[in-house]
Amino acid sequence: MTTQRVFSGVQPTGNLHLGNYLGAIVNFVKLQSSYECIYCVVDLHAITVPMSVWGGPDELRRCTREVTAAFIASGIDPKKNIIFNQSQVAGHAELTWVFNCVARLGWLNRMTQFKEKAGKDRENASVGLYDYPVLMAADILLYRATHVPVGEDQKQHLELARDIAQKFNNDFSESIAANKQPATYFPLPEPVITGPATRVMSLRDGAKKMSKSDASDYSRINLSDDADAIAQKIRKAKTDPEPLPSEEKGLEARPEADNLVGIFAALSGTPKADVLREFGGAQFSGFKSNLVDLAVAKLSPITTEMKRLSQDHAYVDSVLIDGGERANAIAEQTIKDVKDIVGFIRRK
Ligand code: TYM
């Protein structure tokens, strides 16, 4: 039986926001009680966009430490789990090359996130940005992970990772058997996309995802925001003139209301239906005051701890280095197996 193993990653670019926290990190914390978990700060992915966007070496180091600090401040135990930055484990890049030769151009051409991120000037996008989903498949499969907690926006990338795993298992099936490995050498990783906030939307526009790259800081709540900033952003959040509905179907075609109710539900750990039972019929002004109190109560302790830890470079770096060593021990075995399966002669 394959070990049940969780892998997920977060990019160290720009500010972590409420979407990253509610869509992904909250689930990372929950899963640590039932699985062996590996959480990665994906610095190789960060440099796929122009340097003017990722900010250069100092900013990359700062963001890598900040994401690590956010993991720990949110409640991920770095001793029980593995927390590390991707570039420390050479296996991510090595396995990507093998997968580059398994994945098909047609598969990558369908990736919507590449189209969004490359924009109109596609010829000028980096080769790395195009290959981003293959690196992501290598991240997961290097640890032969079975479960991947992510937000809704990563679903297509996860499907690609499953396709790559399946094609590798098929293409090399004879060699896999000759090497006495299981026929499904790479498990097909399951996406774990759960909770009321798998797609947190912009506070300024309910049709747009909350994102690090939105020009307006009012579109998102950053994990580094203080109580005043959180309050201002929620009070200014776009809404419609109707009071809140009492049932979930009343949120259809009201994206901004749906988003705020989803955020409330996720922060309070209750279903949306319960939130509507409590606030149905209320005006947004009253609901927003409650949401401000809830968001500040939940996020402030994390923000404070994240900021404190981010300054403690010695501690954060020691977590990453220890995690890197433990990750590497698992990765090296996969790389050995893959070399034998593909037919690369290697040092014993
Ligand atoms: P990244 O760094 O963009 O986002 C980190 C996590 O946050 C989720 N997320 C959201 N969830 C809900 N609402 C939102 N508005 C929102 N915005 C972001 C993302 O879905 C993600 O789970 N490609 C990944 C990083 C990655 C990865 C991996 C993930 C690299 N290798 C292997 C899983 C497994 C990314 O860009 O995440």
Side-chain angles (χ1 to χ4, degrees), residues 24-307:
I25 301 175
V26 165
N27 290 327
F28 296 0
V29 178
K30 282 195 192 134
L31 290 164
Q32 64 180 338
S33 54
S34 4
Y35 293 93
E36 177 185 349
C37 298
I38 306 177
Y39 296 127
C40 185
V41 187
V42 291
D43 48 9
L44 299 176
H45 278 106
I47 65 166
T48 56
V49 288
M51 197 192 283
S52 57
V53 176
W54 60 267
D58 288 339
E59 180 64 2
L60 184 60
R61 273 185 285 269
R62 187 193 72 74
C63 287
T64 301
R65 291 186 177 117
E66 191 172 86
V67 173
T68 310
F71 283 173
I72 302 169
S74 303
I76 299 170
D77 177 352
K79 292 219 161 67
K80 185 173 179 297
N81 308 283
I82 295 178
I83 299 179
F84 76 109
N85 57 312
Q86 193 183 23
S87 60
Q88 280 199 79
V89 178
H92 290 260
E94 285 184 82
L95 190 58
T96 298
W97 184 258
V98 174
F99 286 171
N100 277 339
C101 303
V102 172
R104 307 286 94 181
L105 274 182
W107 300 359
L108 287 185
N109 285 340
R110 285 196 283 275
M111 294 295 114
T112 54
Q113 212 163 73
F114 172 76
K115 291 178 195 162
E116 278 161 26
K117 285 199 181 172
K120 289 202 181 76
D121 196 6
R122 203 178 289 189
E123 292 292 304
N124 204 26
S126 75
V127 177
L129 186 67
Y130 186 71
D131 203 31
Y132 180 114
V134 180
L135 175 59
M136 185 165 155
D139 296 342
I140 300 164
L141 297 169
L142 185 59
Y143 304 95
R144 299 166 78 191
T146 50
H147 294 81
V148 186
V150 281
E152 181 74 38
D153 62 337
Q154 296 301 314
K155 202 169 166 199
Q156 195 185 33
H157 289 160
L158 261 273
E159 279 157 14
L160 183 90
R162 291 167 65 91
D163 289 345
I164 290 177
Q166 185 138 41
K167 186 160 170 22
F168 181 95
N169 292 342
N170 288 345
D171 288 357
F172 292 99
S173 60
E174 282 175 23
S175 183
I176 288 173
N179 279 283
K180 299 193 171 44
Q181 296 290 355
T184 49
Y185 176 74
F186 285 120
L188 306 192
E190 291 283 338
V192 181
I193 303 175
T194 58
T198 56
R199 190 172 174 81
V200 177
M201 307 308 278
S202 155
L203 299 179
R204 308 300 295 156
D205 177 353
K208 263 174 49 190
K209 193 180 70 167
M210 185 178 283
S211 105
K212 295 170 188 176
S213 52
D214 196 310
S216 165
D217 201 47
Y218 276 94
S219 68
R220 64 186 160 259
I221 293 175
N222 302 306
L223 276 195
S224 55
D225 284 346
D226 61 19
D228 284 348
I230 294 175
Q232 266 195 30
K233 288 177 180 181
I234 293 178
R235 290 210 184 94
K236 277 191 192 290
K238 190 177 167 200
T239 48
D240 56 44
E242 302 297 316
L244 281 158
S246 328
E247 288 177 19
E248 264 188 275
K249 65 174 184 319
L251 290 172
E252 281 164 19
R254 296 181 65 187
E256 284 86 12
D258 191 16
N259 191 36
L260 293 181
V261 171
I263 292 173
F264 194 105
L267 284 171
S268 61
T270 51
K272 279 200 228 174
D274 289 4
V275 178
L276 293 178
R277 248 192 294 284
E278 187 178 345
F279 292 100
Q283 297 296 327
F284 274 104
S285 53
F287 175 70
K288 281 181 171 178
S289 297
N290 281 278
L291 182 55
V292 167
D293 292 347
L294 175 65
V296 169
K298 290 281 171 182
L299 300 177
S300 287
I302 298 172
T303 303
T304 309
E305 183 62 357
M306 180 185 86
K307 286 185 177 161

